[in-house]
Amino acid sequence: MDQIAWLEQSAFATWLRESSWALFALLILHTLTMGAIVGLALASCARLFGLASTVSLPAFGRLTPILGWALLAAAVSGLLLVAAYPAKALTNPLFYVKLAMATSAAAIAWNLQRRVFTADVASAPSWAPKLAALGAGLWIATLAAGKFLAYTHKMLLVG
């Protein structure tokens, strides 16, 4: 709790909470980047299920930089949101479930981008749609867990 209290009472965390715009800007950035990530995951999943089959698999591979930047922006904005209210997140078990799901989903997305949506793959392997569906489900569950974090915390601030 001492580390949480130290972070919570830091000038930066206080500024994030008390600024008229900073926290809202972070929430908007986090929401938009998570939307981009989940949208790309669902589009990839749909492609692997045979929808939009006229779009080549390598065309989806060209989305990898967008996915990477969105993941980076979501991670940074998420860390800054935790810095604003560390006790709210770090004392909530759902936060750790969300992190585990997001990490797993990101690993699946990266694996699919590397192994399926590449220039040398003409058709998707049989395991790819199942893995894509799991990844998409994890991303949707991550979004739901993130939303529920606002309502399931037992502690907003340490002191």
Side-chain angles (χ1 to χ4, degrees):
M1 267 313 168
D2 290 340
Q3 290 88 358
I4 292 174
W6 173 83
L7 178 57
E8 179 183 291
Q9 295 162 6
S10 70
F12 183 68
T14 301
W15 173 76
L16 283 174
R17 284 191 306 275
E18 294 179 0
S19 169
S20 62
W21 62 270
L23 192 64
F24 297 109
L26 286 173
L27 285 168
I28 290 167
L29 177 63
H30 198 67
T31 300
L32 290 174
T33 55
M34 288 301 298
I37 292 164
V38 174
L40 288 171
L42 293 177
S44 298
C45 189
R47 171 58 184 90
L48 291 173
F49 281 134
L51 299 172
S53 58
T54 57
V55 179
S56 70
L57 292 172
F60 274 91
R62 290 192 288 274
L63 297 173
T64 301
I66 296 169
L67 178 63
W69 283 108
L71 283 168
L72 178 64
V76 169
S77 60
L79 285 171
L80 292 172
L81 288 168
V82 169
Y85 288 98
K88 179 180 179 183
L90 299 175
T91 61
N92 188 341
L94 183 59
F95 175 73
Y96 299 101
V97 172
K98 176 190 172 187
L99 283 182
M101 289 188 301
T103 302
S104 299
I108 289 170
W110 202 255
N111 190 29
L112 287 170
Q113 290 295 323
R114 238 178 10 92
R115 296 180 61 199
V116 177
F117 299 113
T118 62
D120 60 342
V121 174
S123 64
S126 61
W127 52 263
K130 295 175 190 124
L131 190 60
L134 175 61
L138 283 168
W139 280 124
I140 291 168
T142 298
L143 285 179
K147 185 61 183 168
F148 286 131
L149 284 175
Y151 308 107
T152 59
H153 65 278
K154 296 200 182 337
M155 178 185 301
L156 184 61
L157 297 169
V158 172

